Each structure stands twice: as structure tokens, then as C-alpha cells.
Amino acid sequence: PPRRDGTLGGAEARHALPHGGVTRAPAFVRSEFCRSCHQFDADAPRLNGKPLEDTYEEWKASRFARQGVQCQDCHMPDRRHLWRGIHDPDMVRSGLEITVTGGDRRYRPGEVAVVRLTVRSARVGHRLPTYVTPRVILRAEAIGPDGSAVAGSRVERVIAREVTLDLSREVFDTRLAPGERATLTARQRVDRPGLAIRLSVVVEPDAFYTRFFQALLEGAPGRGTSRIREALEATRRSPFTVFERLVPLAVAAGR
């Protein structure tokens, strides 16, 4: 890429450096450089009218493109080859605004508490997630006085683009465009003291691969079975939590 001051260097660089020096090109600091791998061609197969990989066009339609924020600014911060993406908890967390509303008062016995968890894609320059592999899960469940989950209380909202394993059909697409938000509402009857609602945002970077490797093993693959099992276990270890909060449901005193 160009030097930090924007210059491309002079002839002296070609003589001073090994291997004939270096050629500097502005293309290396622009999103167009990422397009060849992260944008499928217009004539590529589409599901529900959308290519499987549409990241460059998603960025191009966002405010980040209008403001001159390039892919490299986030995924290669300070020009470091970090390739920060969906597998990086800090990277994902930095792109989200997460808020909780409700649960901040005392409830009469038998009253239903309503708590909402909202996730906004605030600093992600494409859809969240951009591809069919990961998924993000908003989760809520009631916790009893003993710290265990209340049976049947769990509710979830999945943010993902889920497709069939043969990539022939889109099952659903609930991804967030830049600036969009998703809200999960949890309702719990306050029938005893000590109840709480646990809220979390969980990222599964390899969700598609988990399903894919499971299907391969169920199909009796024969050779390569041990390697497929290793790959499956690796995908099962990749999920992480970017947010968790326990919201106590206080009971009002008196009748």
C-alpha cells in the first residue's frame, strides 16, 4: 500500500530494498481489492434473488462506503494483518450496540414481567453476518432462586441467513443491514421471590459447518471419518458470548 503519508515512494526504494524493491499500489487500501473474493459475480447462482456472497455490494450500499470507510480500516486495523472477523469476540462486540429495557421495578405477585434485549448493528459495514456460515443468537431465560433455568422459559431470536446444506434453497434471512436492530422480548410471571431473567447474545461463527459435518458423519463417510470428527469438534468449540446480563425480578412488599 502507499506510505502513511499517501506517497508511493521513489526510485531509490527499488535500489535500496531486496528483490528489486517494492511497488506500492493504492488498491491495497481500498475495498475494491477485497471484491474479487468477497463478492460473487452477477451471473453466479442466487438464492431468493441474492448471491451467496454479497459483501462488497452490502458495503457499497452502506453509509460506510459514503463516508470512505474501507474494508481494511476494520479488518486490518493500523495495517496489521489481523483479518479480524466473525471469529473475533472483540471485533463482533465493537460493531454492536446492545441495550436492555424493563425489569427495573418491583412486581406484584402474579404480575408478568417484560424484559427486552435489543441488538443494533451500529458499526458493521455490511450485513450481520454477511455470509451463510455464522449465526448470532439473542437468548433469554428465567432463572429460579436456586440459580437453575426455569423449564420452558427460554426464548431465542436468530440472526442469520440459513440455507440448505446443498446450497440450493434459502430457509430464512434475518440478518441485519448496517444500522438495523433486532429485539427479543422475554415475559415471565413473577410467582415467587428470587426470580431473574438471564439475557445473552451468543455468536456461532461456524454454525453451517457444524450442520454440514454432522450430516457427513450420519452418511457413513468411511475414509476421513476421524478428520471430519475433529473438524466437527472444532466448530463446536468456536461459539462465544459477546453479552450477558442477569435482570433480577424484584417482588413488591405487602399485599
Side-chain angles (χ1 to χ4, degrees):
R3 291 193 174 110
R4 294 181 187 277
D5 63 6
T7 62
L8 298 178
E12 70 282 356
R14 293 194 292 274
H15 300 294
L17 298 177
H19 307 295
V22 61
T23 299
R24 299 185 182 275
F28 290 123
V29 292
R30 299 193 58 81
S31 294
E32 286 77 9
F33 181 77
C34 309
R35 180 178 183 174
S36 59
C37 290
H38 294 279
Q39 179 64 49
F40 285 7
D41 294 335
D43 58 353
R46 292 171 172 256
L47 300 183
N48 198 20
K50 299 167 289 188
L52 282 178
E53 182 91 45
D54 202 28
T55 307
Y56 176 77
E57 291 298 330
E58 291 169 2
W59 166 82
K60 195 174 176 180
S62 75
R63 67 174 176 87
F64 297 90
R66 295 190 295 272
Q67 295 170 356
V69 179
Q70 308 296 317
C71 301
Q72 294 87 336
D73 294 333
C74 297
H75 296 283
M76 297 178 64
D78 197 32
R79 297 188 173 197
R80 289 174 293 168
H81 291 188
L82 299 179
W83 319 122
R84 300 182 68 196
I86 194 67
H87 287 82
D88 186 322
D90 289 336
M91 176 71 165
V92 177
R93 194 177 290 111
S94 70
L96 305 178
E97 286 183 358
I98 303 174
T99 56
V100 174
T101 57
D104 52 355
R105 64 181 183 83
R106 293 184 175 275
Y107 297 90
R108 297 187 300 274
E111 190 176 0
V112 175
V114 179
V115 178
R116 291 183 173 86
L117 170 65
T118 299
V119 172
R120 178 174 174 263
S121 179
R123 291 172 292 275
V124 181
H126 45 68
R127 287 193 176 272
L128 173 74
T130 184
Y131 196 49
V132 299
T133 305
R135 66 177 188 166
V136 179
I137 303 172
L138 280 59
R139 181 176 293 156
E141 59 185 346
I143 304 299
D146 61 353
S148 62
V150 176
S153 67
R154 175 176 288 192
V155 290
E156 293 183 340
R157 179 166 180 174
V158 176
I159 302 173
R161 185 185 183 190
E162 184 163 316
V163 300
T164 54
L165 293 180
D166 61 359
L167 305 181
S168 66
R169 182 172 58 87
E170 179 182 282
V171 180
F172 62 80
D173 187 353
T174 55
R175 297 172 299 163
L176 302 180
E180 287 187 339
R181 54 174 51 87
T183 297
L184 175 70
T185 301
R187 294 178 171 84
Q188 175 61 37
R189 187 171 180 269
V190 183
D191 54 6
R192 51 189 152 150
L195 286 174
I197 292 180
R198 183 166 59 204
L199 305 168
S200 57
V201 178
V202 179
V203 178
E204 296 180 353
D206 303 310
F208 177 88
Y209 294 131
T210 299
R211 294 192 294 127
F212 182 75
F213 294 141
Q214 285 175 333
L216 284 179
L217 291 174
E218 291 169 2
R223 291 182 60 186
T225 299
S226 62
R227 297 297 298 272
I228 295 172
R229 283 204 177 96
E230 289 177 13
L232 175 59
E233 289 309 309
T235 67
R236 286 174 171 169
R237 291 192 298 270
S238 66
F240 54 87
T241 300
V242 296
F243 176 86
E244 186 171 81
R245 181 178 297 178
L246 194 66
V247 180
L249 302 179
V251 178
R255 292 181 299 173

CSV table of all heavy atoms in Angstrom, one decimal, residues 174-222:
chain,number,residue,atom,x,y,z
A,174,THR,N,-32.6,-13.4,8.3
A,174,THR,CA,-32.9,-12.4,9.3
A,174,THR,C,-31.8,-11.5,9.7
A,174,THR,O,-31.7,-10.9,10.7
A,174,THR,CB,-33.4,-13.1,10.6
A,174,THR,OG1,-32.4,-14.1,11.0
A,174,THR,CG2,-34.7,-13.9,10.4
A,175,ARG,N,-30.8,-11.4,8.8
A,175,ARG,CA,-29.6,-10.6,9.0
A,175,ARG,C,-29.9,-9.1,9.1
A,175,ARG,O,-30.9,-8.7,8.6
A,175,ARG,CB,-28.5,-10.9,7.9
A,175,ARG,CG,-28.0,-12.3,7.8
A,175,ARG,CD,-27.2,-12.5,6.6
A,175,ARG,NE,-27.9,-12.2,5.4
A,175,ARG,CZ,-27.4,-12.0,4.2
A,175,ARG,NH1,-26.0,-11.9,4.1
A,175,ARG,NH2,-28.1,-11.8,3.2
A,176,LEU,N,-29.0,-8.4,9.8
A,176,LEU,CA,-29.2,-7.0,10.0
A,176,LEU,C,-28.3,-6.2,9.0
A,176,LEU,O,-27.1,-6.4,9.0
A,176,LEU,CB,-28.8,-6.6,11.4
A,176,LEU,CG,-29.6,-7.3,12.5
A,176,LEU,CD1,-29.1,-6.8,13.9
A,176,LEU,CD2,-31.1,-7.1,12.4
A,177,ALA,N,-28.9,-5.3,8.3
A,177,ALA,CA,-28.2,-4.4,7.5
A,177,ALA,C,-27.6,-3.3,8.4
A,177,ALA,O,-28.0,-3.2,9.6
A,177,ALA,CB,-29.1,-3.7,6.4
A,178,PRO,N,-26.6,-2.6,8.0
A,178,PRO,CA,-26.0,-1.6,8.8
A,178,PRO,C,-27.0,-0.6,9.4
A,178,PRO,O,-27.8,-0.1,8.6
A,178,PRO,CB,-25.0,-0.8,7.9
A,178,PRO,CG,-24.6,-1.9,6.9
A,178,PRO,CD,-25.8,-2.7,6.7
A,179,GLY,N,-27.0,-0.4,10.7
A,179,GLY,CA,-28.0,0.4,11.3
A,179,GLY,C,-29.3,-0.2,11.8
A,179,GLY,O,-30.0,0.3,12.6
A,180,GLU,N,-29.5,-1.4,11.3
A,180,GLU,CA,-30.8,-2.1,11.7
A,180,GLU,C,-30.6,-2.8,13.1
A,180,GLU,O,-29.5,-3.0,13.6
A,180,GLU,CB,-31.1,-3.2,10.7
A,180,GLU,CG,-31.7,-2.6,9.4
A,180,GLU,CD,-32.2,-3.7,8.4
A,180,GLU,OE1,-31.8,-4.9,8.6
A,180,GLU,OE2,-33.0,-3.4,7.5
A,181,ARG,N,-31.8,-3.1,13.7
A,181,ARG,CA,-31.8,-3.7,15.0
A,181,ARG,C,-32.7,-4.9,15.1
A,181,ARG,O,-33.7,-5.0,14.3
A,181,ARG,CB,-32.1,-2.6,16.1
A,181,ARG,CG,-33.4,-1.9,15.8
A,181,ARG,CD,-33.8,-1.0,17.0
A,181,ARG,NE,-32.8,-0.1,17.4
A,181,ARG,CZ,-32.5,1.1,16.8
A,181,ARG,NH1,-33.3,1.5,15.8
A,181,ARG,NH2,-31.6,1.9,17.3
A,182,ALA,N,-32.5,-5.7,16.0
A,182,ALA,CA,-33.4,-6.9,16.3
A,182,ALA,C,-33.6,-6.9,17.8
A,182,ALA,O,-32.8,-6.6,18.6
A,182,ALA,CB,-32.7,-8.2,15.9
A,183,THR,N,-34.9,-7.2,18.2
A,183,THR,CA,-35.3,-7.2,19.6
A,183,THR,C,-35.9,-8.5,20.0
A,183,THR,O,-36.7,-9.1,19.3
A,183,THR,CB,-36.3,-6.0,19.9
A,183,THR,OG1,-35.7,-4.8,19.6
A,183,THR,CG2,-36.8,-6.1,21.3
A,184,LEU,N,-35.5,-9.0,21.1
A,184,LEU,CA,-36.1,-10.2,21.7
A,184,LEU,C,-36.8,-9.8,23.0
A,184,LEU,O,-36.3,-9.1,23.9
A,184,LEU,CB,-35.0,-11.2,22.1
A,184,LEU,CG,-35.4,-12.5,22.8
A,184,LEU,CD1,-36.2,-13.4,21.9
A,184,LEU,CD2,-34.2,-13.2,23.4
A,185,THR,N,-38.1,-10.3,23.1
A,185,THR,CA,-38.9,-9.9,24.3
A,185,THR,C,-39.1,-11.2,25.1
A,185,THR,O,-39.5,-12.2,24.6
A,185,THR,CB,-40.3,-9.4,23.8
A,185,THR,OG1,-40.1,-8.2,23.0
A,185,THR,CG2,-41.1,-9.1,25.0
A,186,ALA,N,-38.8,-11.0,26.4
A,186,ALA,CA,-39.0,-12.1,27.4
A,186,ALA,C,-40.1,-11.8,28.3
A,186,ALA,O,-40.1,-10.6,28.9
A,186,ALA,CB,-37.7,-12.4,28.1
A,187,ARG,N,-41.0,-12.7,28.6
A,187,ARG,CA,-42.1,-12.5,29.5
A,187,ARG,C,-42.0,-13.6,30.6
A,187,ARG,O,-41.9,-14.8,30.2
A,187,ARG,CB,-43.4,-12.5,28.8
A,187,ARG,CG,-43.6,-11.3,27.9
A,187,ARG,CD,-45.0,-11.4,27.2
A,187,ARG,NE,-45.3,-10.2,26.4
A,187,ARG,CZ,-44.8,-9.9,25.2
A,187,ARG,NH1,-44.1,-10.8,24.6
A,187,ARG,NH2,-45.1,-8.8,24.6
A,188,GLN,N,-42.1,-13.2,31.9
A,188,GLN,CA,-42.0,-14.2,32.9
A,188,GLN,C,-43.0,-13.8,34.0
A,188,GLN,O,-43.0,-12.6,34.5
A,188,GLN,CB,-40.6,-14.3,33.5
A,188,GLN,CG,-40.5,-15.2,34.7
A,188,GLN,CD,-40.9,-16.6,34.4
A,188,GLN,OE1,-40.6,-17.1,33.3
A,188,GLN,NE2,-41.5,-17.3,35.3
A,189,ARG,N,-43.9,-14.7,34.4
A,189,ARG,CA,-44.8,-14.5,35.5
A,189,ARG,C,-44.0,-14.5,36.8
A,189,ARG,O,-43.3,-15.5,37.1
A,189,ARG,CB,-45.9,-15.5,35.5
A,189,ARG,CG,-47.0,-15.3,36.6
A,189,ARG,CD,-48.1,-16.3,36.3
A,189,ARG,NE,-49.2,-16.1,37.3
A,189,ARG,CZ,-49.3,-16.7,38.5
A,189,ARG,NH1,-48.4,-17.6,38.8
A,189,ARG,NH2,-50.3,-16.5,39.3
A,190,VAL,N,-44.2,-13.5,37.6
A,190,VAL,CA,-43.4,-13.4,38.9
A,190,VAL,C,-44.3,-14.1,40.0
A,190,VAL,O,-45.2,-13.4,40.6
A,190,VAL,CB,-43.1,-11.9,39.3
A,190,VAL,CG1,-42.3,-11.8,40.6
A,190,VAL,CG2,-42.4,-11.2,38.1
A,191,ASP,N,-44.1,-15.3,40.2
A,191,ASP,CA,-44.9,-16.1,41.1
A,191,ASP,C,-44.2,-16.5,42.4
A,191,ASP,O,-44.7,-17.2,43.2
A,191,ASP,CB,-45.4,-17.4,40.4
A,191,ASP,CG,-44.2,-18.2,39.8
A,191,ASP,OD1,-43.1,-17.9,40.0
A,191,ASP,OD2,-44.5,-19.2,39.2
A,192,ARG,N,-42.9,-16.0,42.5
A,192,ARG,CA,-42.1,-16.2,43.7
A,192,ARG,C,-41.0,-15.3,43.8
A,192,ARG,O,-40.5,-14.8,42.8
A,192,ARG,CB,-41.6,-17.7,43.7
A,192,ARG,CG,-40.9,-18.1,42.5
A,192,ARG,CD,-40.6,-19.5,42.4
A,192,ARG,NE,-40.6,-19.9,40.9
A,192,ARG,CZ,-39.8,-20.9,40.5
A,192,ARG,NH1,-39.0,-21.6,41.3
A,192,ARG,NH2,-39.8,-21.2,39.2
A,193,PRO,N,-40.4,-15.1,45.0
A,193,PRO,CA,-39.2,-14.2,45.1
A,193,PRO,C,-38.0,-14.9,44.5
A,193,PRO,O,-38.0,-16.1,44.4
A,193,PRO,CB,-39.1,-14.0,46.6
A,193,PRO,CG,-40.4,-14.4,47.2
A,193,PRO,CD,-41.0,-15.5,46.3
A,194,GLY,N,-37.0,-14.1,44.2
A,194,GLY,CA,-35.7,-14.6,43.7
A,194,GLY,C,-35.6,-15.0,42.3
A,194,GLY,O,-34.6,-15.5,41.8
A,195,LEU,N,-36.7,-14.6,41.5
A,195,LEU,CA,-36.6,-14.9,40.1
A,195,LEU,C,-35.7,-13.8,39.4
A,195,LEU,O,-35.6,-12.7,39.8
A,195,LEU,CB,-38.0,-14.9,39.4
A,195,LEU,CG,-38.9,-16.1,39.7
A,195,LEU,CD1,-40.3,-15.9,39.2
A,195,LEU,CD2,-38.3,-17.4,39.1
A,196,ALA,N,-35.2,-14.2,38.2
A,196,ALA,CA,-34.4,-13.3,37.4
A,196,ALA,C,-34.5,-13.7,35.9
A,196,ALA,O,-35.0,-14.9,35.7
A,196,ALA,CB,-33.0,-13.2,37.8
A,197,ILE,N,-34.2,-12.9,35.0
A,197,ILE,CA,-34.1,-13.2,33.6
A,197,ILE,C,-32.7,-13.0,33.1
A,197,ILE,O,-32.1,-12.0,33.3
A,197,ILE,CB,-35.1,-12.4,32.8
A,197,ILE,CG1,-36.5,-12.7,33.1
A,197,ILE,CG2,-34.8,-12.6,31.3
A,197,ILE,CD1,-37.6,-11.9,32.3
A,198,ARG,N,-32.1,-14.1,32.6
A,198,ARG,CA,-30.8,-14.0,32.0
A,198,ARG,C,-30.8,-13.8,30.5
A,198,ARG,O,-31.5,-14.5,29.8
A,198,ARG,CB,-30.0,-15.3,32.3
A,198,ARG,CG,-28.6,-15.3,31.8
A,198,ARG,CD,-27.8,-16.4,32.4
A,198,ARG,NE,-28.4,-17.7,32.1
A,198,ARG,CZ,-28.2,-18.8,32.8
A,198,ARG,NH1,-27.5,-18.8,33.9
A,198,ARG,NH2,-28.7,-20.0,32.3
A,199,LEU,N,-30.2,-12.7,30.1
A,199,LEU,CA,-30.1,-12.3,28.7
A,199,LEU,C,-28.7,-12.5,28.2
A,199,LEU,O,-27.7,-12.3,28.9
A,199,LEU,CB,-30.5,-10.8,28.5
A,199,LEU,CG,-31.8,-10.4,29.1
A,199,LEU,CD1,-31.9,-8.9,29.2
A,199,LEU,CD2,-33.0,-11.0,28.4
A,200,SER,N,-28.6,-13.0,26.9
A,200,SER,CA,-27.3,-13.2,26.4
A,200,SER,C,-27.3,-13.1,24.8
A,200,SER,O,-28.4,-13.2,24.2
A,200,SER,CB,-26.7,-14.6,26.7
A,200,SER,OG,-27.6,-15.6,26.3
A,201,VAL,N,-26.2,-12.7,24.3
A,201,VAL,CA,-26.0,-12.7,22.8
A,201,VAL,C,-24.9,-13.6,22.5
A,201,VAL,O,-23.7,-13.4,23.0
A,201,VAL,CB,-25.7,-11.3,22.3
A,201,VAL,CG1,-25.5,-11.3,20.8
A,201,VAL,CG2,-26.8,-10.3,22.7
A,202,VAL,N,-25.1,-14.7,21.8
A,202,VAL,CA,-24.2,-15.7,21.5
A,202,VAL,C,-23.9,-15.7,20.0
A,202,VAL,O,-24.8,-15.6,19.2
A,202,VAL,CB,-24.7,-17.1,22.0
A,202,VAL,CG1,-23.7,-18.2,21.6
A,202,VAL,CG2,-25.0,-17.1,23.4
A,203,VAL,N,-22.6,-15.9,19.7
A,203,VAL,CA,-22.2,-16.0,18.3
A,203,VAL,C,-21.7,-17.4,18.0
A,203,VAL,O,-20.9,-17.9,18.7
A,203,VAL,CB,-21.1,-14.9,18.0
A,203,VAL,CG1,-20.6,-15.0,16.5
A,203,VAL,CG2,-21.5,-13.5,18.3
A,204,GLU,N,-22.2,-18.0,16.9
A,204,GLU,CA,-21.8,-19.3,16.4
A,204,GLU,C,-21.1,-19.0,15.1
A,204,GLU,O,-21.8,-19.1,14.0
A,204,GLU,CB,-22.9,-20.2,16.3
A,204,GLU,CG,-23.6,-20.5,17.7
A,204,GLU,CD,-24.7,-21.5,17.6
A,204,GLU,OE1,-25.1,-21.9,16.4
A,204,GLU,OE2,-25.2,-21.9,18.6
A,205,PRO,N,-19.8,-18.8,15.0
A,205,PRO,CA,-19.2,-18.5,13.7
A,205,PRO,C,-19.2,-19.6,12.7
A,205,PRO,O,-19.2,-19.3,11.5
A,205,PRO,CB,-17.7,-18.2,14.1
A,205,PRO,CG,-17.7,-18.0,15.6
A,205,PRO,CD,-18.9,-18.9,16.1
A,206,ASP,N,-19.3,-20.8,13.1
A,206,ASP,CA,-19.3,-22.0,12.2
A,206,ASP,C,-20.5,-22.8,12.2
A,206,ASP,O,-20.5,-24.0,12.0
A,206,ASP,CB,-18.1,-22.9,12.6
A,206,ASP,CG,-16.8,-22.1,12.6
A,206,ASP,OD1,-16.5,-21.4,11.6
A,206,ASP,OD2,-16.0,-22.2,13.6
A,207,ALA,N,-21.7,-22.2,12.4
A,207,ALA,CA,-22.9,-22.9,12.5
A,207,ALA,C,-23.2,-23.8,11.3
A,207,ALA,O,-23.6,-25.0,11.5
A,207,ALA,CB,-24.1,-21.9,12.8
A,208,PHE,N,-23.0,-23.3,10.1
A,208,PHE,CA,-23.3,-24.1,8.9
A,208,PHE,C,-22.4,-25.3,8.8
A,208,PHE,O,-22.8,-26.4,8.5
A,208,PHE,CB,-23.1,-23.2,7.6
A,208,PHE,CG,-23.3,-24.0,6.4
A,208,PHE,CD1,-24.6,-24.1,5.8
A,208,PHE,CD2,-22.2,-24.6,5.7
A,208,PHE,CE1,-24.7,-24.8,4.6
A,208,PHE,CE2,-22.4,-25.3,4.5
A,208,PHE,CZ,-23.7,-25.4,4.0
A,209,TYR,N,-21.1,-25.1,9.2
A,209,TYR,CA,-20.1,-26.2,9.1
A,209,TYR,C,-20.5,-27.3,10.1
A,209,TYR,O,-20.3,-28.5,9.9
A,209,TYR,CB,-18.7,-25.7,9.3
A,209,TYR,CG,-18.2,-24.8,8.3
A,209,TYR,CD1,-17.6,-23.6,8.6
A,209,TYR,CD2,-18.4,-25.2,6.9
A,209,TYR,CE1,-17.2,-22.7,7.6
A,209,TYR,CE2,-17.9,-24.3,5.9
A,209,TYR,CZ,-17.3,-23.1,6.2
A,209,TYR,OH,-16.9,-22.3,5.2
A,210,THR,N,-21.0,-26.9,11.3
A,210,THR,CA,-21.4,-27.9,12.3
A,210,THR,C,-22.5,-28.8,11.7
A,210,THR,O,-22.4,-30.0,11.8
A,210,THR,CB,-22.0,-27.2,13.6
A,210,THR,OG1,-20.9,-26.4,14.1
A,210,THR,CG2,-22.4,-28.2,14.6
A,211,ARG,N,-23.5,-28.2,11.1
A,211,ARG,CA,-24.6,-29.0,10.5
A,211,ARG,C,-24.0,-29.8,9.3
A,211,ARG,O,-24.4,-31.0,9.2
A,211,ARG,CB,-25.7,-28.1,9.9
A,211,ARG,CG,-26.4,-27.3,11.0
A,211,ARG,CD,-27.7,-26.7,10.4
A,211,ARG,NE,-27.4,-25.6,9.4
A,211,ARG,CZ,-27.9,-25.6,8.2
A,211,ARG,NH1,-28.7,-26.5,7.7
A,211,ARG,NH2,-27.6,-24.6,7.4
A,212,PHE,N,-23.1,-29.3,8.6
A,212,PHE,CA,-22.5,-30.0,7.4
A,212,PHE,C,-21.7,-31.2,7.8
A,212,PHE,O,-21.9,-32.3,7.3
A,212,PHE,CB,-21.7,-29.0,6.6
A,212,PHE,CG,-21.1,-29.6,5.4
A,212,PHE,CD1,-21.9,-29.8,4.2
A,212,PHE,CD2,-19.7,-29.9,5.3
A,212,PHE,CE1,-21.3,-30.4,3.1
A,212,PHE,CE2,-19.2,-30.5,4.1
A,212,PHE,CZ,-20.0,-30.7,3.0
A,213,PHE,N,-20.8,-31.0,8.8
A,213,PHE,CA,-20.0,-32.2,9.3
A,213,PHE,C,-20.9,-33.2,9.9
A,213,PHE,O,-20.6,-34.4,9.8
A,213,PHE,CB,-18.9,-31.7,10.2
A,213,PHE,CG,-17.9,-30.8,9.5
A,213,PHE,CD1,-17.4,-29.7,10.2
A,213,PHE,CD2,-17.5,-31.0,8.3
A,213,PHE,CE1,-16.5,-28.8,9.6
A,213,PHE,CE2,-16.5,-30.2,7.6
A,213,PHE,CZ,-16.0,-29.1,8.3
A,214,GLN,N,-21.9,-32.8,10.7
A,214,GLN,CA,-22.8,-33.8,11.3
A,214,GLN,C,-23.5,-34.6,10.2
A,214,GLN,O,-23.6,-35.9,10.3
A,214,GLN,CB,-23.9,-33.1,12.1
A,214,GLN,CG,-23.4,-32.5,13.4
A,214,GLN,CD,-24.4,-31.7,14.1
A,214,GLN,OE1,-25.3,-31.1,13.5
A,214,GLN,NE2,-24.4,-31.7,15.5
A,215,ALA,N,-23.9,-34.0,9.1
A,215,ALA,CA,-24.6,-34.7,8.0
A,215,ALA,C,-23.6,-35.7,7.3
A,215,ALA,O,-24.0,-36.8,7.0
A,215,ALA,CB,-25.1,-33.7,7.0
A,216,LEU,N,-22.3,-35.3,7.2
A,216,LEU,CA,-21.4,-36.2,6.6
A,216,LEU,C,-21.2,-37.4,7.5
A,216,LEU,O,-21.1,-38.5,6.9
A,216,LEU,CB,-20.0,-35.4,6.5
A,216,LEU,CG,-19.9,-34.4,5.3
A,216,LEU,CD1,-18.5,-33.8,5.3
A,216,LEU,CD2,-20.2,-35.1,4.0
A,217,LEU,N,-21.1,-37.2,8.8
A,217,LEU,CA,-20.9,-38.4,9.6
A,217,LEU,C,-22.1,-39.3,9.7
A,217,LEU,O,-22.0,-40.5,9.7
A,217,LEU,CB,-20.6,-37.9,11.1
A,217,LEU,CG,-19.2,-37.2,11.2
A,217,LEU,CD1,-19.1,-36.7,12.6
A,217,LEU,CD2,-18.1,-38.2,10.9
A,218,GLU,N,-23.3,-38.7,9.6
A,218,GLU,CA,-24.5,-39.5,9.6
A,218,GLU,C,-24.6,-40.3,8.3
A,218,GLU,O,-25.3,-41.3,8.2
A,218,GLU,CB,-25.7,-38.6,9.8
A,218,GLU,CG,-25.8,-38.0,11.1
A,218,GLU,CD,-26.9,-36.9,11.2
A,218,GLU,OE1,-27.5,-36.7,10.2
A,218,GLU,OE2,-27.1,-36.4,12.3
A,219,GLY,N,-23.9,-39.8,7.2
A,219,GLY,CA,-23.9,-40.5,6.0
A,219,GLY,C,-22.9,-41.6,5.8
A,219,GLY,O,-22.7,-42.1,4.7
A,220,ALA,N,-22.2,-42.0,6.9
A,220,ALA,CA,-21.2,-43.0,6.9
A,220,ALA,C,-20.2,-42.8,5.9
A,220,ALA,O,-20.1,-43.5,4.9
A,220,ALA,CB,-21.9,-44.4,6.7
A,221,PRO,N,-19.3,-41.8,6.1
A,221,PRO,CA,-18.4,-41.4,5.1
A,221,PRO,C,-17.2,-42.3,4.8
A,221,PRO,O,-16.6,-42.3,3.7
A,221,PRO,CB,-17.8,-40.1,5.6
A,221,PRO,CG,-17.9,-40.2,7.1
A,221,PRO,CD,-19.2,-41.0,7.3
A,222,GLY,N,-16.9,-43.2,5.8
A,222,GLY,CA,-15.8,-44.2,5.6
A,222,GLY,C,-14.5,-43.5,5.8
A,222,GLY,O,-14.2,-43.0,6.9
